[in-house]
Amino acid sequence: MDVLSRYEPLIDDFAAFRAACERPLPSVVRVNGIKTTPERARAALEEEGIDHEPCEWHPGLLRLDTDHPGRTWGAFHGWLHGQEEVSALPALVCDPEPGERVWAACAAPGGKATQLAARADDAGLVVANDRNLGRLSALRFNAERLGVTSMAVTNRDARNYSLAPFDFDEFDRALCDVPCSCEGTVRKNPDALDGWSLGYLDEIASTQEAILRRAIQATRSGGTVVYSTCTFAPEENEAVLDRTLDSENCRLLDFDCALDSRPGITEWEGERFDSSVQRAKRIYPHLNDTGGFFCAKLEVGG
Amino acid sequence: MSEPSDGLAENDGSRFDRLPATAAEREVVGRATREAVLEFWDERYGIDPAVFADYTFWEKGSRKLWAFRGEIDSPIAIESLGITFLRTRQEHWKPTTDAVQRFGRHASRNVLTLSREQARRFVAGEDQEIEWDGDWGYLIVAHDLAGEREPLGVGLYLHGELRSQIPKGRRRELRGVDAGEP
Protein backbone atom coordinates (compact mmCIF):
# COMPACT_ATOMS: atom_id res chain seq x y z
CA MET A 1 0.00 0.00 0.00
CA ASP A 2 1.00 3.62 -0.43
CA VAL A 3 1.62 4.52 3.20
CA LEU A 4 2.61 8.14 2.75
CA SER A 5 -0.64 9.10 0.97
CA ARG A 6 -2.44 8.92 4.33
CA TYR A 7 -0.61 12.13 5.31
CA GLU A 8 -1.80 14.16 2.33
CA PRO A 9 -4.44 16.00 4.46
CA LEU A 10 -1.68 17.16 6.87
CA ILE A 11 0.88 18.52 4.42
CA ASP A 12 0.42 21.77 2.46
CA ASP A 13 2.78 20.97 -0.43
CA PHE A 14 2.30 17.23 -0.73
CA ALA A 15 4.02 16.98 -4.14
CA ALA A 16 7.18 18.54 -2.71
CA PHE A 17 6.97 16.17 0.29
CA ARG A 18 6.68 13.18 -2.06
CA ALA A 19 9.58 14.32 -4.22
CA ALA A 20 11.83 14.89 -1.16
CA CYS A 21 11.04 11.40 0.17
CA GLU A 22 12.36 9.93 -3.06
CA ARG A 23 15.72 11.79 -3.00
CA PRO A 24 18.71 10.32 -1.16
CA LEU A 25 19.91 12.20 1.93
CA PRO A 26 23.03 14.36 1.97
CA SER A 27 25.95 12.96 3.98
CA VAL A 28 26.06 14.85 7.31
CA VAL A 29 28.43 14.57 10.28
CA ARG A 30 28.27 16.09 13.75
CA VAL A 31 31.46 17.62 15.14
CA ASN A 32 32.19 16.07 18.56
CA GLY A 33 32.96 18.95 20.93
CA ILE A 34 34.56 16.56 23.44
CA LYS A 35 37.51 16.08 21.08
CA THR A 36 37.71 19.09 18.80
CA THR A 37 36.13 22.30 17.52
CA PRO A 38 34.18 22.87 14.29
CA GLU A 39 37.08 25.03 13.04
CA ARG A 40 39.68 22.29 13.52
CA ALA A 41 37.37 19.60 12.17
CA ARG A 42 36.88 21.68 9.01
CA ALA A 43 40.63 22.30 8.69
CA ALA A 44 41.22 18.52 8.83
CA LEU A 45 38.65 17.96 6.07
CA GLU A 46 40.39 20.63 3.99
CA GLU A 47 43.75 18.85 4.46
CA GLU A 48 42.08 15.72 3.12
CA GLY A 49 40.54 17.56 0.20
CA ILE A 50 36.94 16.76 1.22
CA ASP A 51 34.48 19.52 0.34
CA HIS A 52 32.05 20.41 3.11
CA GLU A 53 29.71 23.13 4.30
CA PRO A 54 28.12 23.76 7.69
CA CYS A 55 24.35 23.28 8.02
CA GLU A 56 22.81 26.77 8.20
CA TRP A 57 21.09 26.21 11.54
CA HIS A 58 23.98 24.58 13.41
CA PRO A 59 27.75 25.19 12.95
CA GLY A 60 28.54 21.80 14.51
CA LEU A 61 26.85 19.92 11.66
CA LEU A 62 28.70 19.58 8.36
CA ARG A 63 27.44 18.37 5.00
CA LEU A 64 30.25 16.39 3.36
CA ASP A 65 30.93 15.74 -0.29
CA THR A 66 31.71 12.05 0.26
CA ASP A 67 29.69 8.86 0.54
CA HIS A 68 32.13 7.52 3.14
CA PRO A 69 32.27 9.96 6.07
CA GLY A 70 33.60 7.10 8.22
CA ARG A 71 36.75 6.94 6.08
CA THR A 72 38.14 10.32 7.16
CA TRP A 73 40.82 11.27 9.66
CA GLY A 74 38.20 13.17 11.62
CA ALA A 75 36.08 10.02 12.01
CA PHE A 76 39.11 7.96 13.08
CA HIS A 77 39.96 10.50 15.79
CA GLY A 78 36.38 10.68 17.03
CA TRP A 79 36.08 14.30 15.91
CA LEU A 80 33.21 13.46 13.54
CA HIS A 81 30.17 11.25 13.91
CA GLY A 82 27.89 10.40 10.99
CA GLN A 83 24.45 11.54 12.08
CA GLU A 84 21.39 12.50 10.09
CA GLU A 85 20.94 16.28 10.28
CA VAL A 86 17.47 16.33 11.81
CA SER A 87 18.41 13.73 14.42
CA ALA A 88 20.69 16.33 16.04
CA LEU A 89 17.58 18.22 17.17
CA PRO A 90 16.37 16.30 20.28
CA ALA A 91 19.68 16.56 22.19
CA LEU A 92 19.68 20.33 21.56
CA VAL A 93 16.11 20.55 22.90
CA CYS A 94 16.99 18.41 25.93
CA ASP A 95 20.08 20.62 26.47
CA PRO A 96 21.68 19.19 29.64
CA GLU A 97 24.01 21.33 31.77
CA PRO A 98 27.33 20.13 33.26
CA GLY A 99 26.63 18.26 36.50
CA GLU A 100 23.13 17.14 35.50
CA ARG A 101 21.93 13.55 35.26
CA VAL A 102 20.29 12.62 31.98
CA TRP A 103 18.58 9.42 30.95
CA ALA A 104 18.75 8.33 27.31
CA ALA A 105 16.02 5.69 27.42
CA CYS A 106 16.57 4.05 24.00
CA ALA A 107 20.12 5.15 23.35
CA ALA A 108 21.69 2.76 20.83
CA PRO A 109 23.53 3.20 18.54
CA GLY A 110 24.41 6.35 20.44
CA GLY A 111 24.41 9.40 18.14
CA LYS A 112 22.00 11.37 20.31
CA ALA A 113 23.26 10.05 23.67
CA THR A 114 26.86 11.00 22.89
CA GLN A 115 25.61 14.40 21.72
CA LEU A 116 23.89 14.83 25.12
CA ALA A 117 27.22 14.10 26.85
CA ALA A 118 29.02 16.63 24.64
CA ARG A 119 26.33 19.28 25.33
CA ALA A 120 27.14 18.91 29.05
CA ASP A 121 30.90 19.22 28.30
CA ASP A 122 31.31 15.52 29.18
CA ALA A 123 30.89 16.68 32.79
CA GLY A 124 27.41 15.46 33.68
CA LEU A 125 26.13 11.90 33.80
CA VAL A 126 24.40 10.35 30.80
CA VAL A 127 22.79 7.02 31.64
CA ALA A 128 22.48 5.45 28.20
CA ASN A 129 20.14 2.48 28.10
CA ASP A 130 19.04 0.10 25.39
CA ARG A 131 17.17 -3.17 25.53
CA ASN A 132 18.97 -4.70 22.55
CA LEU A 133 22.39 -6.11 23.42
CA GLY A 134 23.64 -6.11 19.82
CA ARG A 135 22.80 -2.43 19.36
CA LEU A 136 24.33 -1.74 22.75
CA SER A 137 27.74 -2.87 21.53
CA ALA A 138 27.48 -0.26 18.74
CA LEU A 139 26.63 2.36 21.38
CA ARG A 140 29.65 1.42 23.48
CA PHE A 141 31.95 1.46 20.44
CA ASN A 142 30.72 4.92 19.42
CA ALA A 143 30.92 6.33 22.95
CA GLU A 144 34.53 5.19 23.34
CA ARG A 145 35.57 6.42 19.89
CA LEU A 146 34.02 9.81 20.68
CA GLY A 147 35.83 9.89 24.05
CA VAL A 148 32.67 10.12 26.16
CA THR A 149 33.83 9.53 29.75
CA SER A 150 30.67 10.67 31.56
CA MET A 151 28.39 7.85 30.36
CA ALA A 152 27.05 4.81 32.20
CA VAL A 153 25.51 2.13 29.96
CA THR A 154 22.70 -0.20 31.00
CA ASN A 155 20.84 -3.02 29.21
CA ARG A 156 17.23 -3.00 30.42
CA ASP A 157 13.68 -2.57 29.24
CA ALA A 158 12.98 1.18 29.43
CA ARG A 159 9.26 0.60 30.18
CA ASN A 160 9.91 -0.61 33.72
CA TYR A 161 13.40 0.86 34.16
CA SER A 162 14.87 0.57 37.63
CA LEU A 163 17.39 3.04 39.03
CA ALA A 164 18.45 0.42 41.55
CA PRO A 165 22.09 0.17 40.39
CA PHE A 166 22.56 3.91 41.00
CA ASP A 167 23.00 5.97 44.14
CA PHE A 168 20.32 8.50 43.12
CA ASP A 169 16.59 8.15 42.49
CA GLU A 170 15.73 10.68 39.81
CA PHE A 171 17.13 12.30 36.68
CA ASP A 172 17.27 16.00 35.82
CA ARG A 173 16.38 15.33 32.19
CA ALA A 174 15.45 12.47 29.91
CA LEU A 175 15.44 11.83 26.19
CA CYS A 176 12.93 9.30 24.83
CA ASP A 177 13.96 8.79 21.23
CA VAL A 178 11.61 5.85 21.03
CA PRO A 179 11.48 2.91 18.62
CA CYS A 180 8.97 3.74 15.88
CA SER A 181 7.72 2.82 12.41
CA CYS A 182 10.59 4.92 10.96
CA GLU A 183 8.57 6.38 8.08
CA GLY A 184 10.79 9.48 8.16
CA THR A 185 13.91 7.43 7.36
CA VAL A 186 12.63 6.45 3.92
CA ARG A 187 15.25 8.66 2.25
CA LYS A 188 18.04 6.72 3.99
CA ASN A 189 16.39 3.32 3.72
CA PRO A 190 13.95 2.92 0.79
CA ASP A 191 12.66 -0.33 2.36
CA ALA A 192 11.59 1.48 5.54
CA LEU A 193 7.89 1.21 4.70
CA ASP A 194 7.88 -2.42 3.53
CA GLY A 195 6.70 -3.91 6.84
CA TRP A 196 4.27 -1.09 7.63
CA SER A 197 0.86 -2.02 9.13
CA LEU A 198 -1.81 -0.37 11.26
CA GLY A 199 -1.44 -3.25 13.72
CA TYR A 200 2.23 -2.39 14.19
CA LEU A 201 1.36 1.27 14.85
CA ASP A 202 -0.99 0.25 17.68
CA GLU A 203 1.56 -2.11 19.18
CA ILE A 204 4.51 0.28 19.02
CA ALA A 205 2.40 3.19 20.29
CA SER A 206 1.71 1.38 23.55
CA THR A 207 5.44 0.73 23.95
CA GLN A 208 6.20 4.39 23.22
CA GLU A 209 3.67 5.56 25.78
CA ALA A 210 5.07 3.21 28.43
CA ILE A 211 8.63 4.48 27.83
CA LEU A 212 7.57 8.14 27.96
CA ARG A 213 5.56 7.59 31.15
CA ARG A 214 8.50 5.86 32.82
CA ALA A 215 10.79 8.76 31.82
CA ILE A 216 8.42 11.28 33.38
CA GLN A 217 8.21 9.24 36.58
CA ALA A 218 12.02 8.96 36.75
CA THR A 219 12.63 12.71 36.24
CA ARG A 220 12.54 15.29 39.03
CA SER A 221 9.76 17.86 39.31
CA GLY A 222 10.69 20.79 37.08
CA GLY A 223 12.92 18.56 34.95
CA THR A 224 12.78 18.21 31.17
CA VAL A 225 11.70 15.20 29.12
CA VAL A 226 12.09 15.21 25.35
CA TYR A 227 10.04 12.83 23.20
CA SER A 228 11.10 12.16 19.62
CA THR A 229 10.37 9.80 16.75
CA CYS A 230 11.39 9.58 13.11
CA THR A 231 7.86 8.96 11.90
CA PHE A 232 4.90 10.98 10.59
CA ALA A 233 2.16 8.79 12.10
CA PRO A 234 0.00 10.79 14.57
CA GLU A 235 -0.74 7.46 16.30
CA GLU A 236 2.94 7.42 17.42
CA ASN A 237 3.29 11.15 18.03
CA GLU A 238 0.43 13.42 19.15
CA ALA A 239 -1.76 10.49 20.28
CA VAL A 240 1.02 9.24 22.59
CA LEU A 241 1.49 12.74 24.03
CA ASP A 242 -2.27 13.19 24.47
CA ARG A 243 -2.66 10.00 26.53
CA THR A 244 0.48 10.79 28.57
CA LEU A 245 -0.81 14.28 29.41
CA ASP A 246 -3.91 12.56 30.86
CA SER A 247 -2.04 9.98 32.91
CA GLU A 248 1.13 11.74 34.16
CA ASN A 249 1.88 15.02 35.90
CA CYS A 250 3.51 16.95 33.06
CA ARG A 251 2.91 19.64 30.44
CA LEU A 252 4.15 20.42 26.96
CA LEU A 253 6.49 23.40 26.48
CA ASP A 254 7.18 25.64 23.52
CA PHE A 255 10.76 25.46 22.27
CA ASP A 256 12.92 27.14 19.67
CA CYS A 257 13.84 25.19 16.59
CA ALA A 258 16.04 26.70 13.89
CA LEU A 259 14.76 24.14 11.40
CA ASP A 260 11.55 24.93 9.53
CA SER A 261 8.75 22.90 11.14
CA ARG A 262 4.99 22.54 11.48
CA PRO A 263 3.06 22.38 14.77
CA GLY A 264 1.69 19.14 16.17
CA ILE A 265 -1.82 18.35 14.96
CA THR A 266 -4.92 18.32 17.17
CA GLU A 267 -7.16 16.06 15.12
CA TRP A 268 -6.60 12.80 13.26
CA GLU A 269 -9.09 10.34 11.81
CA GLY A 270 -11.91 11.58 14.03
CA GLU A 271 -9.84 11.67 17.22
CA ARG A 272 -9.15 15.01 18.95
CA PHE A 273 -6.02 15.69 21.00
CA ASP A 274 -5.22 18.17 23.77
CA SER A 275 -4.58 21.54 22.13
CA SER A 276 -1.12 21.80 23.75
CA VAL A 277 0.22 19.09 21.41
CA GLN A 278 0.57 21.95 18.92
CA ARG A 279 3.72 22.85 20.89
CA ALA A 280 5.40 19.74 19.44
CA LYS A 281 7.09 20.07 16.06
CA ARG A 282 6.66 18.05 12.89
CA ILE A 283 9.56 18.18 10.47
CA TYR A 284 8.85 17.05 6.94
CA PRO A 285 11.65 16.11 4.50
CA HIS A 286 10.88 18.86 1.99
CA LEU A 287 11.06 21.68 4.56
CA ASN A 288 14.83 21.52 5.22
CA ASP A 289 16.01 18.72 2.90
CA THR A 290 16.36 16.28 5.85
CA GLY A 291 14.72 13.09 7.04
CA GLY A 292 11.31 13.27 8.69
CA PHE A 293 11.06 13.86 12.43
CA PHE A 294 8.81 14.63 15.38
CA CYS A 295 9.96 16.29 18.60
CA ALA A 296 8.19 17.41 21.79
CA LYS A 297 9.50 19.00 25.00
CA LEU A 298 7.76 18.29 28.31
CA GLU A 299 8.18 19.68 31.79
CA VAL A 300 7.59 17.35 34.70
CA GLY A 301 5.20 18.45 37.50
CA GLY A 302 3.48 21.78 37.96
CA MET B 1 34.06 -15.31 46.04
CA SER B 2 37.22 -17.35 46.82
CA GLU B 3 39.72 -16.17 49.41
CA PRO B 4 43.38 -16.73 48.55
CA SER B 5 45.85 -17.34 51.39
CA ASP B 6 46.76 -13.66 51.72
CA GLY B 7 43.17 -12.90 52.73
CA LEU B 8 42.36 -10.79 49.66
CA ALA B 9 39.33 -11.51 47.44
CA GLU B 10 39.36 -12.27 43.71
CA ASN B 11 38.04 -9.77 41.16
CA ASP B 12 34.30 -10.07 40.40
CA GLY B 13 33.96 -9.58 36.63
CA SER B 14 30.19 -8.94 36.75
CA ARG B 15 30.46 -5.46 38.24
CA PHE B 16 32.55 -2.30 38.42
CA ASP B 17 34.64 -1.84 41.57
CA ARG B 18 36.35 1.45 42.30
CA LEU B 19 40.13 1.23 42.66
CA PRO B 20 41.50 1.67 46.16
CA ALA B 21 43.33 4.95 46.74
CA THR B 22 46.49 3.23 47.97
CA ALA B 23 47.88 -0.28 48.52
CA ALA B 24 46.94 -0.12 52.21
CA GLU B 25 43.24 0.00 51.21
CA ARG B 26 43.43 -2.87 48.72
CA GLU B 27 40.83 -5.62 49.23
CA VAL B 28 41.16 -7.51 45.93
CA VAL B 29 44.31 -9.41 45.03
CA GLY B 30 46.50 -7.71 42.42
CA ARG B 31 44.14 -4.75 41.93
CA ALA B 32 45.88 -1.56 40.81
CA THR B 33 45.56 1.53 43.03
CA ARG B 34 44.59 5.06 42.05
CA GLU B 35 48.00 6.19 43.25
CA ALA B 36 49.80 3.71 40.95
CA VAL B 37 47.60 4.62 37.96
CA LEU B 38 48.33 8.35 38.33
CA GLU B 39 52.02 7.58 38.78
CA PHE B 40 52.02 5.42 35.62
CA TRP B 41 50.64 8.17 33.37
CA ASP B 42 52.90 10.76 34.94
CA GLU B 43 56.16 8.78 34.83
CA ARG B 44 55.66 7.06 31.50
CA TYR B 45 54.00 9.84 29.49
CA GLY B 46 54.41 13.01 31.54
CA ILE B 47 50.64 13.44 31.99
CA ASP B 48 50.01 15.59 35.07
CA PRO B 49 47.81 13.82 37.68
CA ALA B 50 45.67 17.00 37.71
CA VAL B 51 44.32 15.92 34.28
CA PHE B 52 42.52 13.07 36.08
CA ALA B 53 41.33 15.11 39.08
CA ASP B 54 37.64 14.73 38.11
CA TYR B 55 37.99 11.03 37.26
CA THR B 56 37.42 7.86 39.24
CA PHE B 57 39.08 4.59 38.16
CA TRP B 58 37.33 1.23 38.11
CA GLU B 59 38.03 -2.46 37.47
CA LYS B 60 35.48 -4.80 35.86
CA GLY B 61 37.08 -7.62 33.87
CA SER B 62 40.23 -8.80 35.60
CA ARG B 63 43.00 -6.13 35.35
CA LYS B 64 40.96 -4.12 32.86
CA LEU B 65 40.60 -0.57 34.14
CA TRP B 66 38.02 2.09 33.20
CA ALA B 67 38.06 5.88 33.67
CA PHE B 68 34.78 7.58 34.56
CA ARG B 69 34.32 11.33 34.90
CA GLY B 70 32.44 11.68 38.16
CA GLU B 71 31.63 9.85 41.35
CA ILE B 72 29.23 6.97 41.85
CA ASP B 73 28.78 4.37 44.59
CA SER B 74 30.97 1.26 44.30
CA PRO B 75 30.38 -1.51 43.35
CA ILE B 76 27.96 -1.03 40.47
CA ALA B 77 26.69 -3.81 38.18
CA ILE B 78 26.06 -2.18 34.76
CA GLU B 79 27.31 -2.66 31.20
CA SER B 80 29.90 0.10 31.10
CA LEU B 81 31.12 3.11 33.03
CA GLY B 82 33.19 5.75 31.22
CA ILE B 83 35.82 4.35 28.83
CA THR B 84 38.26 1.45 28.89
CA PHE B 85 41.52 2.99 29.98
CA LEU B 86 44.40 0.72 30.94
CA ARG B 87 45.27 -2.99 31.05
CA THR B 88 47.39 -4.02 34.03
CA ARG B 89 47.61 -7.80 33.59
CA GLN B 90 51.18 -7.85 32.23
CA GLU B 91 54.37 -6.44 33.74
CA HIS B 92 54.15 -3.48 31.35
CA TRP B 93 50.82 -1.69 31.61
CA LYS B 94 49.10 -0.94 28.33
CA PRO B 95 46.87 2.10 27.69
CA THR B 96 43.88 1.63 25.38
CA THR B 97 43.52 3.36 22.01
CA ASP B 98 40.50 5.27 23.32
CA ALA B 99 42.30 6.48 26.46
CA VAL B 100 45.26 7.69 24.41
CA GLN B 101 42.98 9.50 21.97
CA ARG B 102 41.15 11.14 24.89
CA PHE B 103 44.06 12.02 27.21
CA GLY B 104 47.20 11.67 25.06
CA ARG B 105 47.28 15.34 24.06
CA HIS B 106 48.52 16.10 27.59
CA ALA B 107 51.57 13.82 27.17
CA SER B 108 55.11 15.20 27.08
CA ARG B 109 57.15 11.96 27.02
CA ASN B 110 57.23 8.79 24.93
CA VAL B 111 55.17 10.32 22.15
CA LEU B 112 56.21 9.26 18.65
CA THR B 113 54.98 11.66 15.94
CA LEU B 114 54.53 10.11 12.49
CA SER B 115 54.33 11.63 9.01
CA ARG B 116 50.92 11.42 7.33
CA GLU B 117 51.97 8.42 5.25
CA GLN B 118 53.33 6.61 8.33
CA ALA B 119 50.13 7.50 10.19
CA ARG B 120 48.05 6.05 7.35
CA ARG B 121 49.91 2.74 7.66
CA PHE B 122 49.67 2.82 11.46
CA VAL B 123 45.85 3.18 11.53
CA ALA B 124 45.56 0.42 8.90
CA GLY B 125 47.22 -1.85 11.50
CA GLU B 126 50.59 -2.22 9.75
CA ASP B 127 53.91 -2.69 11.53
CA GLN B 128 56.74 -0.53 10.20
CA GLU B 129 60.48 0.12 10.59
CA ILE B 130 60.93 3.52 12.22
CA GLU B 131 63.88 5.24 13.85
CA TRP B 132 63.30 6.24 17.46
CA ASP B 133 65.97 6.84 20.08
CA GLY B 134 63.63 7.04 23.08
CA ASP B 135 62.34 4.27 25.38
CA TRP B 136 61.07 0.99 23.99
CA GLY B 137 57.67 -0.40 24.91
CA TYR B 138 54.21 1.14 24.64
CA LEU B 139 54.35 4.60 23.07
CA ILE B 140 51.71 7.19 22.37
CA VAL B 141 51.68 7.49 18.59
CA ALA B 142 50.53 10.79 17.08
CA HIS B 143 50.55 12.85 13.90
CA ASP B 144 49.98 16.49 13.03
CA LEU B 145 46.41 17.24 11.95
CA ALA B 146 44.83 20.65 11.41
CA GLY B 147 47.82 22.46 12.90
CA GLU B 148 48.33 20.48 16.10
CA ARG B 149 49.65 17.13 17.27
CA GLU B 150 46.81 14.63 17.64
CA PRO B 151 47.19 11.18 19.23
CA LEU B 152 46.28 8.19 17.05
CA GLY B 153 46.69 5.32 19.49
CA VAL B 154 49.25 3.01 21.07
CA GLY B 155 52.27 1.48 19.36
CA LEU B 156 54.67 -1.14 20.71
CA TYR B 157 58.23 -0.14 19.84
CA LEU B 158 60.82 -2.95 19.84
CA HIS B 159 64.08 -3.50 17.88
CA GLY B 160 63.55 -0.66 15.42
CA GLU B 161 59.97 -1.63 14.63
CA LEU B 162 56.71 0.12 15.54
CA ARG B 163 53.91 -2.40 15.94
CA SER B 164 50.46 -0.90 15.60
CA GLN B 165 48.16 -1.78 18.52
CA ILE B 166 45.05 -0.33 16.92
CA PRO B 167 42.30 -2.92 17.54
CA LYS B 168 40.80 -4.55 14.43
CA GLY B 169 37.47 -2.76 14.83
CA ARG B 170 39.16 0.66 14.88
CA ARG B 171 41.50 0.16 11.88
CA ARG B 172 40.77 2.25 8.80
CA GLU B 173 42.06 2.59 5.24
CA LEU B 174 42.57 6.36 5.04
CA ARG B 175 44.15 8.75 2.60
CA GLY B 176 47.86 9.26 2.88
CA VAL B 177 50.18 11.00 0.46
CA ASP B 178 47.62 12.54 -1.91
CA ALA B 179 45.33 15.49 -1.23
CA GLY B 180 47.10 18.02 0.91
CA GLU B 181 49.86 15.79 2.30
CA PRO B 182 52.36 18.13 4.03
Side-chain angles (χ1 to χ4, degrees):
Chain A
M1 69 173 280
D2 177 17
V3 175
L4 296 178
S5 62
R6 74 197 293 259
Y7 305 121
E8 189 161 0
L10 302 181
I11 299 171
D12 359 333
D13 189 351
F14 193 69
F17 168 84
R18 272 262 188 236
C21 287
E22 281 162 19
R23 285 197 301 272
L25 274 177
S27 182
V28 173
V29 294
R30 175 172 60 82
V31 176
N32 173 30
I34 293 171
K35 282 191 158 177
T36 196
T37 60
E39 294 72 30
R40 228 181 138 203
R42 295 183 65 180
L45 289 166
E46 272 148 33
E47 283 182 18
E48 277 191 88
I50 296 174
D51 286 338
H52 59 273
E53 59 175 30
C55 296
E56 299 74 12
W57 65 289
H58 193 297
L61 295 173
L62 306 175
R63 287 196 194 97
L64 301 193
D65 185 19
T66 170
D67 293 334
H68 303 286
R71 277 163 52 183
T72 58
W73 284 102
F76 176 76
H77 284 292
W79 292 10
L80 304 178
H81 183 66
Q83 186 168 343
E84 213 273 284
E85 182 175 337
V86 74
S87 80
L89 180 64
L92 300 175
V93 175
C94 191
D95 203 20
E97 303 277 340
E100 289 188 328
R101 297 178 179 123
V102 193
W103 186 39
C106 316
K112 301 177 191 78
T114 55
Q115 187 186 359
L116 287 170
R119 287 293 290 180
D121 296 335
D122 199 23
L125 171 65
V126 175
V127 175
N129 177 69
D130 205 275
R131 192 171 69 161
N132 181 312
L133 203 55
R135 284 165 56 87
L136 208 62
S137 69
L139 163 70
R140 289 175 55 181
F141 178 86
N142 284 324
E144 294 218 333
R145 184 177 59 85
L146 298 172
V148 177
T149 60
S150 59
M151 184 178 282
V153 175
T154 62
N155 177 216
R156 287 159 186 264
D157 188 327
R159 291 175 291 190
N160 50 17
Y161 194 77
S162 164
L163 279 79
F166 297 100
D167 54 8
F168 55 88
D169 53 19
E170 54 187 14
F171 293 101
D172 297 295
R173 296 172 198 258
L175 172 57
C176 301
D177 181 57
V178 293
C180 71
S181 60
C182 296
E183 294 165 0
T185 67
V186 68
R187 297 182 66 181
K188 185 167 66 181
N189 173 16
D191 305 330
L193 301 173
D194 286 0
W196 193 97
S197 73
L198 274 175
Y200 178 76
L201 292 198
D202 286 344
E203 185 187 325
I204 198 71
S206 68
T207 299
Q208 292 160 341
E209 184 186 344
I211 294 168
L212 176 58
R213 291 184 61 180
R214 182 67 195 113
I216 291 164
Q217 294 158 7
T219 300
R220 68 170 168 81
S221 180
T224 300
V225 175
V226 172
Y227 179 80
S228 63
T229 72
C230 52
T231 197
F232 309 115
E235 292 87 342
E236 302 177 67
N237 294 325
E238 289 89 347
V240 169
L241 295 176
D242 181 67
R243 286 197 299 276
T244 304
L245 288 168
D246 279 345
S247 59
E248 300 293 333
N249 186 10
C250 62
R251 66 187 185 107
L252 281 159
L253 298 182
D254 287 316
F255 61 95
D256 291 330
C257 173
L259 288 167
D260 193 11
S261 66
R262 298 291 177 264
I265 60 162
T266 54
E267 193 170 356
W268 175 248
E269 295 189 340
E271 201 182 342
R272 295 189 68 85
F273 308 127
D274 188 290
S275 65
S276 70
V277 301
Q278 293 176 90
R279 291 175 168 169
K281 299 197 191 295
R282 300 186 142 255
I283 297 178
Y284 297 118
H286 61 296
L287 299 179
N288 312 275
D289 197 18
T290 64
F293 213 72
F294 180 87
C295 188
K297 182 178 187 180
L298 297 102
E299 182 181 58
V300 177
Chain B
M1 198 179 281
S2 65
E3 294 261 327
S5 55
D6 59 5
L8 295 179
E10 294 287 342
N11 182 64
D12 177 351
S14 71
R15 64 187 204 193
F16 287 87
D17 280 51
R18 191 165 168 174
L19 297 194
T22 63
E25 294 169 38
R26 182 183 285 140
E27 292 172 353
V28 168
V29 61
R31 177 167 287 166
T33 65
R34 177 177 181 85
E35 190 176 36
V37 167
L38 293 176
E39 197 175 279
F40 167 81
W41 287 97
D42 190 7
E43 286 191 357
R44 176 79 190 163
Y45 301 112
I47 298 183
D48 188 329
V51 167
F52 301 111
D54 294 331
Y55 285 85
T56 49
F57 302 135
W58 303 74
E59 182 174 11
K60 191 182 187 193
S62 180
R63 313 294 183 264
K64 187 172 163 186
L65 306 190
W66 301 59
F68 169 64
R69 178 148 174 176
E71 304 260 348
I72 213 157
D73 276 359
S74 173
I76 181 166
I78 56 176
E79 295 299 316
S80 74
L81 187 65
I83 62 172
T84 55
F85 180 58
L86 191 60
R87 290 174 210 284
T88 62
R89 180 180 287 282
Q90 309 293 334
E91 180 193 349
H92 295 288
W93 289 6
K94 182 182 182 184
T96 65
T97 300
D98 296 310
V100 160
Q101 285 200 355
R102 182 69 168 82
F103 302 110
R105 69 188 55 186
H106 302 287
S108 57
R109 274 195 288 282
N110 289 316
V111 180
L112 173 53
T113 302
L114 301 180
S115 70
R116 183 62 50 85
E117 175 57 19
Q118 289 168 331
R120 187 195 63 74
R121 295 180 60 186
F122 181 79
V123 305
E126 294 176 29
D127 301 335
Q128 46 194 322
E129 305 277 320
I130 281 178
E131 281 191 35
W132 163 254
D133 53 14
D135 287 354
W136 290 16
Y138 293 119
L139 305 179
I140 292 177
V141 178
H143 68 149
D144 289 318
L145 183 65
E148 284 176 56
R149 189 183 75 185
E150 184 71 14
L152 294 156
V154 177
L156 177 59
Y157 192 86
L158 293 169
H159 304 290
E161 186 183 54
L162 180 69
R163 300 183 189 168
S164 174
Q165 306 293 299
I166 302 292
K168 283 201 175 67
R170 290 292 310 270
R171 291 179 194 166
R172 290 290 178 273
E173 300 289 339
L174 299 176
R175 291 149 74 109
V177 194
D178 56 1
E181 176 70 13

